[in-house]
Amino acid sequence: MRKDEAAPEKSVRVLRVGEQVRHVLSEILARGDVHDDVLAKHVVSVTEVRMSPDLRHATVFVKPLLGKDEEAVLKALRTNTAYLQREVAARVQNKYAAKLKFLADESFDEGSHIDALLRQPTVARDLAED
């Protein structure tokens, strides 16, 4: 591909593998397979997994229930990354085991912020029908 061409859309395969990884991680965390006190105390949602085009790297976006102790949960996930990578590799049949990178999902906070902006009286007045 030439440099001046637009980047192609993500392939269906990349999206499918990302969704498989999300399901596997969600299942592992929901069943409590990770023996970690912090993760045992929190319900963690895996909101999205973005795979690299070569499927060797996965960025995992997570959110603890109600956003409580987000940093502690991220630290626990990062501490247990090797175990989680082995489990994902065993359950998702790919040529390579994906390296996992855990990040907090900020999309909920951004959505709440936008909602709060839209509810401001000055904005609501402009959006109201005449």
Side-chain angles (χ1 to χ4, degrees):
M1 176 171 41
R2 294 183 353 224
K3 289 183 180 180
D4 59 338
E5 290 180 12
E9 294 282 325
K10 287 191 176 192
S11 74
V12 172
R13 181 170 183 239
V14 170
L15 296 172
R16 181 180 46 81
V17 171
E19 193 62 15
Q20 286 177 334
V21 171
R22 188 184 73 77
H23 280 283
V24 168
L25 287 171
S26 295
E27 181 183 323
I28 291 168
L29 293 171
R31 290 184 11 193
D33 291 347
V34 182
H35 301 294
D36 187 285
D37 292 336
V38 174
L39 294 176
K41 294 176 188 175
H42 293 86
V43 176
V44 180
S45 295
V46 180
T47 57
E48 182 182 2
V49 175
R50 293 183 190 163
M51 300 296 298
S52 65
D54 62 1
L55 303 177
R56 291 186 186 214
H57 301 278
T59 304
V60 182
F61 293 92
V62 296
K63 189 75 171 174
L65 185 65
L66 302 175
K68 291 185 175 181
D69 301 326
E70 193 170 80
E71 286 304 318
V73 169
L74 281 172
K75 183 177 180 185
L77 287 168
R78 290 171 181 155
T79 300
N80 293 287
T81 298
Y83 170 77
L84 292 168
Q85 284 178 177
R86 280 193 307 274
E87 288 297 310
V88 168
R91 298 179 193 191
V92 178
Q93 300 299 319
N94 273 335
K95 189 173 182 178
Y96 302 103
K99 302 271 190 236
L100 303 177
K101 178 182 177 183
F102 293 96
L103 296 176
D105 188 348
E106 304 295 336
S107 63
F108 295 106
D109 298 332
E110 291 172 18
S112 295
H113 177 70
I114 291 169
D115 188 50
L117 289 173
L118 292 173
R119 292 181 187 276
Q120 288 179 351
T122 55
V123 175
R125 181 189 67 223
D126 292 341
L127 294 176
E129 293 183 33
D130 292 325

